[in-house]
Amino acid sequence: MTFSGATSSPGFEAYIHDVYGWAYRVLGHHHDALDVVQDVFLKWNRQCAADLPEQPRGWLRRVTLNRALDVRRAQQVRTAAQRAQVPTDAGREPRLAMTNPAEAEESQRALRDRLTGALAELSDMQRSVLVAKVYDNLTFAELAEEMGVAVSTVKTHYVRAVQAVRDRLTTGGVDEVLP
Amino acid sequence: MNCDEFRLLLAEAWGGELAGPARAEFEAHRQACTACGREYDSGRATLDVLRELSGPRAVRLRREGARLVFEDVAGVAAPVGGRRPRWASVSRYAAGLLLAFVGGYGLHAGLMLSSAGPVSSAPAEVGAAPSPRLDATFEAALARAHYRNPTASGLAKCVTALAAVGRAGSGVAPQ
């Protein structure tokens, strides 16, 4: 995929794989994630034309997650509208085990829907801390430096984010996987 | 360690940064206190669920002049432009309009020729002449179609006129 537009923005290449990874975690689809990368890249260019972000990685993570969640919400609205037109199979017996890749993929999609719903309800800071800790394996000290806040603040956001996602999953029907 | 001290260490424990004597104390309290043990386990399970989400596939970035090119490492050809640029849709729309205009003009010209030919060259037959109420020629039908609906497209007027001429030829009065 080629991104049109000048790449005069300093340093975007250093973060592009991270941007792609954050978008992919939320969207679970290669081309959708690339679309988000493109959007973020354009926003980065605009931002750099005005003023370079003080903490580029943190800025990119926040912007990417917000954009990916917007895309995800739009997809869910479309999917819900399509499903509303399809007759339901409420009378069919539920299957107890996943027997084929299609079911596994459906299960993964449902899980991603619940998790992205939970992530969407977090504050920007909580979401960034959680994603950075889980997927980027940053330490609290690194995160605090990146975000320009105290380590204790990062820890507080992390704990609240985990608890909020847990509560959302527990009430959202995934409680069989949680103790 | 009491429950409050335990909660203060939850972030480090969930984040994998708890080590040394603090970890031993934390583990001891977790085993002893059911509520704290449940709190830790549920958070741990939540993080495991988050990690279950499939990760991104391997991609690589390269630079071609002033452009960024994103490639699939696995060799799967990524279609260029997951999202089409705006100019592409605009040009498609313009091309569609141009084709519609040319097609409509061509059809109009063709109908004029086809209707003018036989009418002017064929000898009039007794009994087959249309009544004064009917559209005798395509031009008259076209003028009538324009008079009835001046805002309609040229193509629509042509079709209406053609239908009127056809009805006139078969002796059916126009509606």
Side-chain angles (χ1 to χ4, degrees):
Chain A
M1 169 173 257
T2 303
F3 296 106
S4 56
T7 56
S8 56
S9 311
F12 185 79
E13 292 124 306
Y15 306 105
I16 193 167
H17 291 98
D18 290 331
V19 171
Y20 172 76
W22 296 323
Y24 189 93
R25 294 282 185 186
V26 173
L27 295 167
H29 191 270
H30 176 64
H31 298 295
D32 290 343
L34 287 183
D35 277 352
V36 169
V37 174
Q38 187 175 15
D39 290 345
V40 173
F41 176 56
L42 293 174
K43 195 162 186 176
W44 168 270
N45 272 342
R46 283 196 298 271
Q47 177 70 25
C48 287
D51 191 15
L52 189 67
E54 203 167 304
Q55 299 291 340
R57 201 161 192 272
W59 184 89
L60 283 169
R61 186 187 296 112
R62 184 167 49 81
V63 169
T64 304
L65 289 174
N66 286 338
R67 178 67 194 138
L69 285 170
D70 286 345
V71 171
R72 188 76 181 169
R73 279 191 211 102
Q75 287 176 345
Q76 286 170 336
V77 168
R78 277 200 303 273
T79 306
Q82 286 166 357
R83 283 185 179 172
Q85 296 173 348
V86 176
T88 59
D89 52 354
R92 193 193 293 173
E93 284 292 316
R95 296 185 186 179
L96 296 178
M98 288 180 289
T99 55
N100 59 47
E103 287 182 2
E105 189 177 331
E106 176 67 18
S107 170
Q108 179 82 188
R109 193 194 57 76
L111 178 62
R112 198 179 298 271
D113 280 347
R114 290 215 175 92
L115 285 175
T116 50
L119 286 175
E121 289 180 0
L122 301 178
S123 69
D124 276 0
M125 185 71 112
Q126 289 173 349
R127 190 161 48 235
S128 291
V129 168
L130 187 62
V131 168
K133 197 78 184 102
V134 173
Y135 299 125
D136 301 345
N137 292 319
L138 295 185
T139 64
F140 290 119
E142 289 168 335
L143 265 171
E145 188 181 346
E146 180 185 292
M147 295 178 166
V149 296
V151 173
S152 59
T153 305
V154 174
K155 288 179 182 174
T156 302
H157 284 302
Y158 181 64
V159 169
R160 286 183 185 162
V162 172
Q163 289 170 337
V165 173
R166 176 198 61 195
D167 294 345
R168 170 69 187 251
L169 293 183
T170 307
T171 56
V174 195
D175 49 345
E176 66 270 17
V177 300
L178 300 177
Chain B
M1 178 177 283
N2 59 31
C3 294
D4 288 336
E5 291 167 335
F6 180 89
R7 283 192 207 101
L8 287 175
L9 293 177
L10 267 178
E12 284 99 327
W14 282 337
E17 295 186 28
L18 190 60
R23 183 187 176 105
E25 284 186 50
F26 183 88
E27 285 297 329
H29 183 80
R30 184 167 79 88
Q31 300 291 338
C33 178
T34 309
C36 288
R38 194 181 300 127
E39 175 75 3
Y40 171 82
D41 291 341
S42 62
R44 188 78 252 165
T46 301
L47 292 166
D48 289 342
V49 170
L50 274 170
R51 291 193 185 95
E52 265 183 39
L53 283 184
S54 55
R57 63 165 99 166
V59 289
R60 78 173 150 235
L61 167 77
R62 63 189 166 85
R63 191 169 183 152
E64 284 183 358
R67 302 164 79 95
L68 293 174
V69 180
F70 220 30
E71 284 186 334
D72 201 331
V73 169
V76 178
V80 174
R83 178 177 301 167
R84 289 189 180 87
R86 185 169 293 172
W87 62 264
S89 56
V90 171
S91 62
R92 268 189 313 178
Y93 182 68
L97 275 180
L98 184 63
L99 275 175
F101 176 77
V102 169
Y105 186 81
L107 181 61
H108 176 264
L111 290 174
M112 294 287 280
L113 286 174
S114 63
S115 63
V119 168
S120 60
S121 61
E125 293 178 14
V126 176
S131 70
R133 288 180 59 246
L134 302 181
D135 294 302
T137 64
F138 181 78
E139 287 84 353
L142 192 60
R144 185 186 292 271
H146 177 73
Y147 176 76
R148 282 180 180 161
N149 191 2
T151 59
S153 68
L155 182 61
K157 289 172 190 167
C158 284
V159 171
T160 305
L162 183 63
V165 169
R167 282 194 299 269
S170 61
V172 178
Q175 301 296 313

